[in-house]
Amino acid sequence: MKLPIVAYGDPVLRKKAEEIDEDYPDLRGLIDNMFETMYAARGVGLAAPQVGLPIRLFVIDASPFAEDDEDEPGDPSLQDFKKVFINPIIIEETGEKWAFNEGCLSIPDINEDIVRPEHVLINYLDENFEEHEVGLSGLAARIVQHEYDHIEGKLFVDKLSPLKKAMLKGKLDAITKGQVKVSYRMKFPQQKKGK
Ligand code: ZN
């Protein structure tokens, strides 16, 4: 089942999310629904707060980045990079900072170059509640850093300069009000009901 994606301006995107345990109701179903929602929206990552749940869970499938496109060769190592992260903890971020043009399913139509460290060391539980500690680099690290920010109540636009943010304010306000065209179902915090 596809879930509506919460838009910029909703308070749930600003909460520090809570850990969950194995008794979380219908966790399997939720994970399936999050993947289905992410694929339908052509995303590579989706965090639980983006479907209205302030819990420490996100899903990732980076395989679109494994394929070559017009401007850039793909990274074959991302072919099978499909993972569920539960109660993750970023242990450290290291390496040179690099810019990548990020977008977010909760902030449609805005893409900006965001600078983050190249490597990340993360501890997390998978969908079977088995613990892992992995080091990731490049795009894999990038997606994890972006999704991890979501469960900390942070968004990529927070990292923009005050000037850039001021320039985007009108666009962000329009998203909150639902005045944006999207190809997937969204929940807008200030959308006017009726016509
Ligand atoms: Zn996002």
Side-chain angles (χ1 to χ4, degrees):
M1 185 178 68
K2 289 197 280 277
L3 307 166
I5 294 176
V6 166
Y8 182 87
D10 191 304
V12 74
L13 295 176
R14 290 308 190 181
K15 274 190 192 145
K16 191 175 156 79
E18 302 281 339
E19 291 197 343
I20 56 169
D21 59 29
E22 283 167 275
D23 298 328
Y24 191 83
D26 193 22
L27 184 58
R28 294 269 160 185
L30 172 62
I31 290 168
D32 286 350
N33 289 342
M34 283 176 65
F35 273 115
E36 191 183 336
T37 303
M38 180 185 82
Y39 290 135
R42 299 178 159 275
V44 292
L46 184 70
Q50 294 183 276
V51 293
L53 300 169
I55 58 172
R56 301 182 77 79
L57 159 69
F58 57 81
V59 301
I60 279 174
D61 187 344
S63 54
F65 287 122
E67 276 137 49
D68 297 334
D69 68 24
E70 279 163 36
D71 341 295
E72 269 177 280
D75 177 349
S77 73
L78 296 174
Q79 185 58 59
D80 298 312
F81 195 72
K82 177 182 175 180
K83 285 185 197 300
V84 176
F85 293 79
I86 295 169
N87 302 343
I89 296 166
I90 287 187
I91 298 162
E92 58 173 11
E93 290 178 294
T94 54
E96 209 136 302
K97 291 191 170 183
W98 65 297
F100 181 74
N101 199 252
E102 292 188 28
C104 180
L105 295 177
S106 294
I107 314 175
D109 244 14
I110 293 181
N111 291 278
E112 294 293 337
D113 283 344
I114 302 296
V115 172
R116 300 184 192 263
E118 192 184 353
H119 310 290
V120 63
L121 181 64
I122 188 165
N123 177 286
Y124 67 97
L125 305 171
D126 64 20
E127 61 274 36
N128 302 310
F129 278 80
E130 273 168 40
E131 192 177 343
H132 303 268
E133 192 168 302
V134 292
L136 301 168
S137 298
L139 276 177
R142 174 65 58 144
I143 302 166
V144 162
Q145 288 162 324
H146 178 114
E147 298 311 325
Y148 189 85
D149 273 357
H150 273 300
I151 62 171
E152 292 289 303
K154 298 178 196 157
L155 300 168
F156 81 92
V157 289
D158 302 347
K159 296 187 179 288
L160 297 170
S161 69
L163 175 65
K164 192 91 217 185
K165 249 185 142 173
M167 285 164 62
L168 285 174
K169 190 177 181 302
K171 243 179 142 176
L172 290 168
D173 288 347
I175 291 171
T176 300
K177 290 176 187 150
Q179 295 159 358
V180 63
K181 273 213 174 100
V182 264
S183 60
Y184 46 90
R185 208 165 122 228
M186 291 195 81
K187 184 173 161 264
F188 300 101
Q190 291 175 17
Q191 191 167 39
K192 297 227 164 63
K193 300 276 181 273
K195 58 172 207 166

